[in-house]
Amino acid sequence: MSDLDDFKATYFDECSELLTELEEQFAAIEAGERDADRLNAVFRAIHSIKGGAGAFGFSALVGFAHAYETLLDYVRDGRIELSDDVVVLCIRANDIVADHVKAAQTGEALPAEYGMDEKARFDALARGESIADDDDMSGEHVEEFDIEFTPVMVNLDAMYDDEAAADDAFDIAPMQLDAGHWEIRFTPHRALYARANDPLLLFRELAALGELHVRPILEEIPPLSDFEPFAVYCSWEITMVSDNVTETMIREVFEFVEGDCDIAIAQLGAAPAAPAAIPATTIAAPVPPPASAVAPEDDLLALADDEVAHLLDFSAEPAAPAPTAAPVVAQDAFEEAPSLSFAELADTIMPAAPAAKAAPVKLAAAAAAPAEGEENGNRSVGVQSIRVDLDKVDRVVNMVGELVITQSMLTQQMDETLRARYTELVRGLEVLAQTTRGLQDSVMAIRAQPVKSVFSRMPRLVRELATKTSKKIKLETIGENTEIDKTIIEQLSDPLTQMIRNSADHGIETPDKRLARGKSETGTIRLSAEQAGGNILIIVEDDGGGINRERVLQVARDKGIVAPDAQPTDEQIDQLIFAPGFSTAEALSDISGRGVGMDVVLSNIKKIGGSVHVRSWTGKGCRMTLRLPLTLAVLDVMLVKVGESPYVVPLSSIVETIQCSRASFERVPSGGQVLQVRGEYVQVIDLAQRFQMTGEAEPENRFVVLCEAEGSHKVALIVDDIIGQQQVVIKSLEENFERVDGIAGGTILGDDNVALIVDVQGLKTSIVHKNAA
Amino acid sequence: MTTLRVLTVDDSRTILAMLHHTLSNAGFEVLQAEDGKQGLDVLRNEAVDVVITDINMPVMDGIEFIKNVRATGNHQSLPILILTTETSQDKRDQGKAAGGTGWIVKPFDPEKLISVIHRVVH
């Protein structure tokens, strides 16, 4: 099936949500909220994962999920107590389920013994509990846990439980396949209709198997005064002539009414008697129900008055042996219509009228939805969300971005004269501006997603790290409902993983060391997300030992990242961990030393327009802050001129702008300039020099744009003119051209000119490195 | 012949998607709900010919859902198929006791699914 991949994608999507749900539920359960709702949610999550896995034949996943589900079921009905040990086991089981899901997704098989220990512990739990409980039950419990569950992708026969075993025997015996002549006696219980089962449909199914002769037995029909419209009074004798029908196949037809009727099936000799000899209605197989099956409600009354009364006459006659009486009745009743359709058969002989009752419903359906659904054959009701291809949303986001820009361009074009002359136009433009802004916010909200989906993967990581490093580590998460653009969230997982690894491996000390330092045995890593203006801050903080600056500096010197005689500040040393190629090699374990260093974190974050800052307190801990844009698509910027070219500076990083004539610059020995702002010296970067532009304005007419790079590092950019603020749609330079140092991307302005976006953090970092080196 | 309308009730998007695919390919009109309560809402406003429902669902499970459907005046003869998994024999019994018409075993085979629907719908 070509759609299988789509379904699989849906399934893995769903799995990742369910695994997140599991993490959340168990976080609460661990915290002591052991209520039934949480357990049910956990059970359902595993159940759904298993259900889908079965559909795709992921047998290892199904096997494990099945055993786990059974354990959960026992916990749910109180047979196993939800002790701390069981919670720990469940959390481990969640991880294993996650691994199985991942293996199914990537197609990489896990070792056969993977998760077997846990499975064995499920068994042990079941045994322990049952022995304490009731000796007689123990065998049964164990047996249930020992069931080897094999998923079968197409297996409907498995559901014929009771018959299944017997039927298997029949299937083995070929004699049952003889052409034959079957006699079936079908006696429904009175309440057959209560579950919307209908003898008519059964006959239709049987008719598909062979030639049918159906004789109704009507003795049970009561006088009209006692007549219950929802009860079944008829029973039927059916003769079927068919070339190759097994008893299994016949029983299968009656599967759904099992327990609601008595059935006797007998095979009479292989050579069928002439069907004509049986005076009953003959039905050729198969007969689709004609449209007339849909009887208007009035017909029920007509039928009751006329036909039923007619039938009652017969039933009132002196009792005769059923086999002879019934055919007579049938023949008589059907005299006018020797070849009845099922529908007619139903209308005539079946007092209760599922068909008739269904009629108003169907008519209503037709009336309610005349054209809908016919076009594509489907329609969804009661669903509160839709799933849309991200590409489609991207296109909308992009176009809304362009709209925003056109709108701001229009506004800019309105000079004072025009404003005074065309007040109506001005008002219209204001409304347009508001609407555009609203539209933009709404479109952005479509792609926004809580960071929860990334955060939820971290508890497991921390558990594993704690085990591997023999440390005690607790993870706290804050602000997981903070929303960020989906495209950014996707890029966040790897950097966060690396930062947490870093904290667990290098930051948090071993329990004895912590105790010696007067800290609690258990270290804490706090992962938080918050919105700060147009940015999202994601902070990974630990209460470990902080960055070992001596060591970092030593390594940096050894690797030539820092000149031997340079004396970087503490903050500069801390930032060194992001330097390309930096790693404290010998200190690396297999945890963080996987060739992925903080430099990769930095470049990944920069790729999505963010920045990373680290702060460390020796002996007390370390904090890493990721600053991310809310969205990748649209940026609030200040439009400036460098030389003759327009550049844009992200508004979020601008602290203030100062006219050069009013700024106090000072020369430094290296030949550079610094700016003194309120007692603070700030590195000055002349963008025209930096980008090798000519045609600089008169020095006193130029402007300083004071920007804050990450972590209160300020940098002063000198530009030739300030044009104004606006929003721009970011276009990636790397995708369309190539990566350029100091440039974060490009944008197309309202007048079709291209402006480059200044990468403040990048400029600052390159200068720090240059100076340090 | 009018198009048969099937209401599918399941909290698993995967299963809903697969049911939707199979059923609409077979020419049915498909309505969806993610739990029993949503299912009841749909039935309040829409006429359907057959319901396929899961048992384990949040908010309102399949058993409650079936009971509620049967309790509403004009749905006594609405065929309700229970989508079950291999382990839930007792759930199936409960579903039947609540008024379920028949059952489909997960994972389902498309052809069998269609034939099972035809088995309970006129």
Side-chain angles (χ1 to χ4, degrees), chain B residues 105-119:
Chain B
V105 169
K106 268 188 209 173
F108 58 83
D109 169 52
E111 259 174 52
K112 280 281 189 177
L113 174 73
I114 304 303
S115 95
V116 164
I117 290 174
H118 282 302
R119 191 185 293 179

Side-chain angles (χ1 to χ4, degrees), chain A residues 156-223:
Chain A
L156 276 129
D157 290 338
M159 67 188 176
Y160 308 137
D161 354 81
D162 295 352
E163 279 83 36
D167 294 343
D168 284 347
F170 275 126
D171 286 343
I172 294 161
M175 61 168 194
Q176 291 292 337
L177 282 167
D178 284 352
H181 178 154
W182 295 83
E183 291 263 328
I184 304 157
R185 171 96 188 203
F186 172 48
T187 316
H189 298 165
R190 289 275 188 271
L192 182 80
Y193 296 141
R195 303 187 227 291
N197 273 303
D198 187 337
L200 175 64
L201 298 169
L202 300 172
F203 300 153
R204 187 174 70 189
E205 288 259 312
L206 284 176
L209 298 176
E211 193 181 301
L212 274 201
H213 311 278
V214 181
R215 288 186 299 273
I217 298 163
L218 304 170
E219 291 120 61
E220 296 287 323
I221 297 179

Side-chain angles (χ1 to χ4, degrees), chain A residues 245-263:
Chain A
V245 163
T246 61
E247 189 174 333
T248 316
M249 290 160 80
I250 297 171
R251 289 216 177 264
E252 205 174 291
V253 171
F254 293 98
E255 183 196 1
F256 291 166
V257 291
E258 174 201 319
D260 290 328
C261 66
D262 298 321
I263 297 175

Side-chain angles (χ1 to χ4, degrees), chain A residues 743-760:
Chain A
I743 297 297
T747 185
I748 299 165
L749 300 174
D751 58 6
D752 283 346
N753 273 322
V754 173
L756 297 174
I757 302 165
V758 175
D759 175 9
V760 176

Side-chain angles (χ1 to χ4, degrees), chain A residues 344-357:
Chain A
E344 288 159 328
L345 185 69
D347 287 349
T348 320
I349 61 166
M350 288 170 51
K357 277 189 291 133

Side-chain angles (χ1 to χ4, degrees), chain A residues 363-402:
Chain A
L363 294 175
E372 284 168 298
E374 277 169 28
E375 247 176 300
N376 52 7
N378 66 70
R379 189 155 62 107
S380 285
V381 178
V383 181
Q384 277 134 20
S385 63
I386 54 163
R387 301 181 68 77
V388 184
D389 194 339
L390 200 57
D391 283 350
K392 289 185 189 167
V393 181
D394 283 347
R395 285 209 295 273
V396 176
V397 169
N398 231 327
M399 278 161 66
V400 169
E402 302 291 354

Side-chain angles (χ1 to χ4, degrees), chain A residues 603-665:
Chain A
S603 70
N604 282 345
I605 292 298
K606 274 165 92 175
K607 228 183 272 169
I608 51 175
S611 61
V612 192
H613 170 64
V614 62
R615 254 194 104 178
S616 169
W617 297 267
T618 305
K620 286 185 182 161
C622 183
R623 181 201 295 155
M624 280 182 267
T625 308
L626 295 186
R627 182 182 287 268
L628 300 164
L630 275 179
T631 169
L632 292 183
V634 175
L635 195 64
D636 278 299
V637 296
M638 181 178 275
L639 186 59
V640 298
K641 219 177 215 179
V642 177
E644 286 305 307
S645 307
Y647 277 78
V648 296
V649 183
L651 211 54
S652 58
S653 60
I654 296 178
V655 180
E656 62 179 303
T657 53
I658 310 161
Q659 268 190 314
C660 275
S661 53
R662 297 191 185 169
S664 62
F665 295 100

Side-chain angles (χ1 to χ4, degrees), chain A residues 189-194 222 226-234 350-353:
Chain A
H189 298 165
R190 289 275 188 271
L192 182 80
Y193 296 141
D226 298 336
F227 190 84
E228 276 273 348
F230 290 103
V232 188
Y233 296 102
C234 263
M350 288 170 51

